[in-house]
Amino acid sequence: MEPDGSAAAAPALGVSPRLAGQEAPELPSRGLGASLVLRNLRVAWRRPADAVTSAAFYLLVAGLLALATAPLDLPSASMAGVAAWIGALLAVLLTQQQGLREDAECGALDQLRLAPGGPVPAVAALLVAQVIVTSLPLLLATPAVALFFGLSTEAAVALGVSLLLGLPAVAVLASFASALTLASRATPAVLGLLVLPLATPLLLFGVRAAAPGSGPGPLMLLAACSLAAGALGPFAVAAALSLEDE
């Protein structure tokens, strides 16, 4: 029996409406996680403006804080950590605000729910891609933030390591909040109200880890938060997405 021609095929996972017109290949049953990660990374590679916008917003926030605090003669390393982490939090929110919403509009989330092995492995692959796509531009822009505040090489490395360890947890939190707002049909502004309170411990740990002489304690806390987010995030995001069907 021939398939019904009126049923439109759902586009590939992670493909935005701008790319929804392209024919999407079927999801392979083997190597699904790697396939989804690579597919989302290819989509991000075709849309470099998103990464440039995120990095530019991050640098803008950090630069404004550097200018505002310059006359106050505050410790540059401490202020660089504050500026970098506030800018990174806001930049991740900016990136995630439309991520799942675009996937829902083009039907990619329907493919995710029907993926072989259940939605959790597919969500985990989606989160891996989101972490890479959101974190990499900010990490590449961090040396410019170090220049804004005149940091030494050691302080700049400490700032970059704190972001490297903490941004995965921030990206997972933002994805979870985005899934909740998608399921509840809430406005995108609610995303910030959900993420910022949850991300407050990460902000405190990150600022402390970027400060000179902080020791390994804050870095270990950031790593623990990211590991916990990586372990629990796929289940939480999949549960939040399932609310859309109810």
Side-chain angles (χ1 to χ4, degrees):
M1 180 181 296
E2 295 184 358
D4 186 4
S6 62
L13 181 63
V15 178
S16 70
R18 283 172 285 180
L19 301 175
Q22 300 179 3
E23 184 179 356
E26 293 295 330
L27 293 177
S29 58
R30 295 183 179 180
L32 173 64
S35 174
L36 292 175
V37 170
L38 292 176
R39 185 174 300 170
N40 280 272
L41 293 179
R42 285 197 298 268
V43 170
W45 179 258
R46 298 190 194 107
R47 297 163 53 187
D50 292 347
V52 172
T53 301
S54 177
F57 185 82
Y58 169 59
L59 292 176
L60 178 62
V61 172
L64 288 175
L65 289 174
L67 289 174
T69 57
L72 303 180
D73 197 23
L74 296 173
S76 59
S78 299
M79 288 310 304
V82 172
W85 269 92
I86 291 177
L89 280 175
L90 297 178
V92 170
L93 289 180
L94 178 69
T95 304
Q96 293 284 358
Q97 204 170 53
Q98 294 297 327
L100 288 181
R101 195 170 299 274
E102 289 182 351
D103 287 340
E105 290 174 354
C106 71
L109 293 185
D110 294 331
Q111 281 194 350
L112 183 147
R113 296 188 187 96
L114 300 175
V120 173
V123 169
L126 179 64
L127 290 179
V128 170
Q130 289 293 332
V131 167
I132 296 173
V133 169
T134 57
S135 301
L136 186 59
L138 304 183
L139 292 172
L140 293 177
T142 297
V145 177
L147 290 176
F148 292 164
F149 290 90
L151 298 183
S152 64
T153 302
E154 182 180 359
V157 170
L159 177 61
V161 171
S162 71
L163 290 171
L164 178 63
L165 294 179
L167 282 178
V170 175
V172 172
L173 280 177
S175 295
F176 173 64
S178 181
L180 284 179
T181 57
L182 180 67
S184 62
R185 304 296 194 275
T187 60
V190 179
L191 179 61
L193 297 177
L194 289 173
V195 172
L196 292 178
L198 295 174
T200 299
L202 292 170
L203 176 64
L204 298 177
F205 297 154
V207 171
R208 181 58 182 162
S214 60
L219 292 176
M220 294 177 65
L221 289 172
L222 285 174
C225 290
S226 290
L227 289 175
L232 301 177
F235 297 95
V237 174
L241 291 175
S242 68
L243 296 176
E244 190 181 8
D245 297 331
E246 299 180 359

